[in-house]
């Protein structure tokens, strides 16, 4: 094998390596930008110290339709990640159902909401914070109706 053949082989190998690296770069960039990272959502919780509302940002998985609101409500019920903030309702409160009809959100909570345990916000404060969170996150909604164990609680706002 002479010098010219060796040079052609090396150049050919370099071009193959360069083409493979470029293809890999294009593929990874495409997958990176095509990936759905989820929805960035705002949550407000009452501060233990000042009583003002503190804001948290969370990345929630992308969902369609009513699942998006349901996921938001469940995440809100989990409470704050930030120390020195109060959960909206007593720990253990769950949403039995949550659905939207005619721009009104209907939410039915378990009776744990009335327990007033832990360092949760007061019941009426919690309801107001809950409504503000939901109406801010989903501006198409015009009203939130809350039920506790199937019994209507508040129908204003």
């Amino acid at each position: 094998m002479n010098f010219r053949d060796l040079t052609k082989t090396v150049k050919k190998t370099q071009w193959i390596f360069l083409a493979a690296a470029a293809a890999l770069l294009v593929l990874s960039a495409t997958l990176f930008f095509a990936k759905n990272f989820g929805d960035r959502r705002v949550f407000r919780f009452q501060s233990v110290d000042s009583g003002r509302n503190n804001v948290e940002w969370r990345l929630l998985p992308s969902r369609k339709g009513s699942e998006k609101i349901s996921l938001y409500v469940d995440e809100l019920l989990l409470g704050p990640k930030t120390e020195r903030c109060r959960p909206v309702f007593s720990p253990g409160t769950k949403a039995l159902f949550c659905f939207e009809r005619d721009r009104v959100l209907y939410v039915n909570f378990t009776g744990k909401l009335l327990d007033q345990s832990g360092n949760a916000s007061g019941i009426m404060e919690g309801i107001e914070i809950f409504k503000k969170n939901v109406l801010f996150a989903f501006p198409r909604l015009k009203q939130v109706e809350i039920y506790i164990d199937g019994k209507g609680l508040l129908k204003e706002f």
Side-chain angles (χ1 to χ4, degrees):
M1 189 176 215
N2 63 20
F3 184 71
R4 284 184 189 222
D5 292 339
L6 184 61
T7 325
K8 285 181 184 178
T9 306
V10 169
K11 284 187 179 182
K12 193 176 190 182
T13 307
Q14 286 176 340
W15 279 108
I16 291 172
F17 178 73
L18 190 59
L24 189 60
L25 178 67
V26 168
L27 177 67
S28 20
T30 303
L31 291 175
F32 177 78
F33 289 114
K35 182 179 179 185
N36 190 351
F37 292 106
D39 297 327
R40 191 171 169 182
R41 294 289 179 182
V42 175
F43 294 87
R44 288 179 173 79
F45 296 101
Q46 189 178 32
S47 170
V48 172
D49 301 322
S50 65
R52 297 183 325 197
N53 287 343
N54 289 344
V55 176
E56 285 185 13
W57 293 88
R58 295 188 192 169
L59 194 61
L60 301 180
S62 291
R63 298 284 191 256
K64 294 197 187 307
S66 63
E67 286 183 40
K68 185 180 285 192
I69 297 174
S70 226
L71 181 64
Y72 182 84
V73 167
D74 289 342
E75 191 72 22
L76 184 59
L77 291 176
L78 286 176
K81 291 183 178 180
T82 311
E83 290 185 32
R84 310 299 301 162
C85 284
R86 300 173 193 261
V88 177
F89 298 122
S90 300
T93 302
K94 305 250 184 279
L96 298 175
F97 67 74
C98 174
F99 67 92
E100 173 192 0
R101 181 175 295 144
D102 298 328
R103 296 179 54 195
V104 177
L105 181 67
Y106 299 91
V107 184
N108 184 22
F109 293 114
T110 58
K112 285 288 246 180
L113 182 140
L114 300 172
D115 285 350
Q116 194 61 36
S117 61
N119 66 342
S121 299
I123 295 170
M124 296 310 289
E125 288 174 324
I127 289 170
E128 289 304 313
I129 292 169
F130 177 82
K131 286 183 175 184
K132 284 179 184 176
N133 273 297
V134 170
L135 293 174
F136 181 79
F138 303 96
R140 73 177 180 278
L141 296 174
K142 64 178 181 179
Q143 184 178 340
V144 177
E145 291 196 18
I146 295 179
Y147 297 85
I148 299 176
D149 286 333
K151 297 178 178 95
L153 180 63
L154 294 173
K155 296 185 180 181
E156 79 272 351
F157 203 61

